């Protein structure tokens, strides 16, 4: 198997595994639990869920996959801290958004060929990419997978 | 640049960045804080530190890099839960172990050539590896980097 195929599989195993672990945990927590702060004064579970959706919507743009699904979440979950939020979608609404977004991303990811994962993402210039070819589309998947893992470690503490 | 070199850089950027983020956070927390439970009834910061050292000692074996530095930590931080531990090294001792281990690993990692990172690790058979070439040494670095990130998300809550 060519090394480029091996590495795309490695990164997507990590992405899929990270999403699966998050989902398993999310399904174990009811909506009431998601409204609790993980540690007094820190983010609530529901904030982490909305935050992941907002971050993964940015992936649509970074990878030229189309428009964001939930652009209205940007302000709430990327620009504001949990404590600053006044209005927030319900946990069941966010669960639905998340599930639909995961399906959409998977569908779009599956259409890219191995070579395309080594192309530049939309937030780096052609000149910079020539010097730093590791800042490719696959690296976006890697960094977002570890981002999911970071917050999974936190959400786990609500169990 | 060959794709194999690009990907080794991607994974090591992730590893080094994960260790750096952990270290920055660890340096911001004093020994007294490390002795606190992150959430009542859950692991203490000091347990997470010992746990990472024990896990990274296993990497020495998985990658055929030599003997473990702190085999005595295996029982305490991999076999037992925090609540079952009676004797534990001090936080300052563990900080020293961690720092020395990071240096040792970096030194050993730097000696491997790109091709060697795509070889099998010691916990997979030659037959299985022929079918699953993504289970290589580089994948060990990837999975351990995300493991650090998972616990960094938790340790962050002690701030």
């Amino acid at each position: 198997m060519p090394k480029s195929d091996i590495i795309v599989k490695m990164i997507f195993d990590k992405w899929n595994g990270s999403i699966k672990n998050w989902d398993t945990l999310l399904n174990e927590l009811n909506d009431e639990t998601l409204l609790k702060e993980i540690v007094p004064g820190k983010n609530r579970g529901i904030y982490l869920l909305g935050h992941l959706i907002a971050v993964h919507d940015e992936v649509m743009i970074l990878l030229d996959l189309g428009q964001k699904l939930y652009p209205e979440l940007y302000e709430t979950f990327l620009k504001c801290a949990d404590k600053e939020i006044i209005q927030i979608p319900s946990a069941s609404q966010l669960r639905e958004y998340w599930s639909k977004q995961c399906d959409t991303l998977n569908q779009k990811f599956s259409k890219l060929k191995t070579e395309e994962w080594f192309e530049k993402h939309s937030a780096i210039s052609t000149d910079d990419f020539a010097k730093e070819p590791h800042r490719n589309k696959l690296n976006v998947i890697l960094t977002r997978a570890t981002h999911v893992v970071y917050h999974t470690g936190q959400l786990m503490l609500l169990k």
Side-chain angles (χ1 to χ4, degrees), chain A:
Chain A
M1 195 191 287
K3 290 217 168 47
S4 49
D5 288 336
I6 292 176
I7 194 63
V8 169
K9 174 159 178 53
M10 280 165 62
I11 302 292
F12 271 93
D13 279 0
K14 178 50 73 184
W15 167 267
N16 291 324
S18 305
I19 298 288
K20 193 179 165 192
N21 289 342
W22 170 271
D23 278 345
T24 301
L25 178 58
L26 187 64
N27 290 335
E28 287 172 5
L29 303 172
N30 62 29
D31 291 357
E32 198 186 343
T33 306
L34 283 184
L35 287 172
K36 288 184 188 158
E37 289 174 337
I38 291 166
V39 167
K42 304 274 186 182
N43 292 327
R44 293 170 293 172
I46 194 173
Y47 181 86
L48 297 185
L49 176 56
H51 175 66
L52 287 191
I53 300 169
V55 167
H56 291 188
D57 242 5
E58 297 287 318
V59 170
M60 298 282 280
I61 308 301
L62 273 169
L63 302 188
D64 283 323
L65 298 176
Q67 294 303 303
K68 292 183 180 187
L69 295 181
Y70 313 106
E72 71 278 13
L73 299 189
Y74 178 79
E75 273 299 307
T76 315
F77 294 110
L78 272 178
K79 278 293 169 199
C80 297
D82 192 0
K83 297 297 151 295
E84 300 167 321
I85 298 175
I86 297 166
Q87 273 210 317
I88 191 170
S90 69
S92 64
Q93 184 72 77
L94 287 175
R95 286 179 198 268
E96 206 181 302
Y97 285 0
W98 170 252
S99 169
K100 188 179 160 197
Q101 185 187 52
C102 286
D103 290 347
T104 304
L105 286 175
N106 281 338
Q107 225 173 2
K108 293 191 179 266
F109 291 165
S110 69
K111 288 183 185 149
L112 270 80
K113 297 196 181 71
T114 294
E115 288 305 302
E116 292 176 278
W117 286 111
F118 290 90
E119 293 172 358
K120 82 176 198 69
H121 58 66
S122 71
I124 181 173
S125 72
T126 307
D127 282 357
D128 284 347
F129 186 64
K131 286 173 270 175
E132 304 182 291
H134 61 282
R135 295 172 65 186
N136 50 44
K137 291 183 176 176
L138 194 58
N139 209 33
V140 172
I141 304 297
L142 171 58
T143 56
R144 296 324 180 270
T146 54
H147 178 253
V148 172
V149 171
Y150 179 88
H151 289 302
T152 303
Q154 298 178 327
L155 193 71
M156 180 62 86
L157 299 172
L158 277 183
K159 263 181 85 174

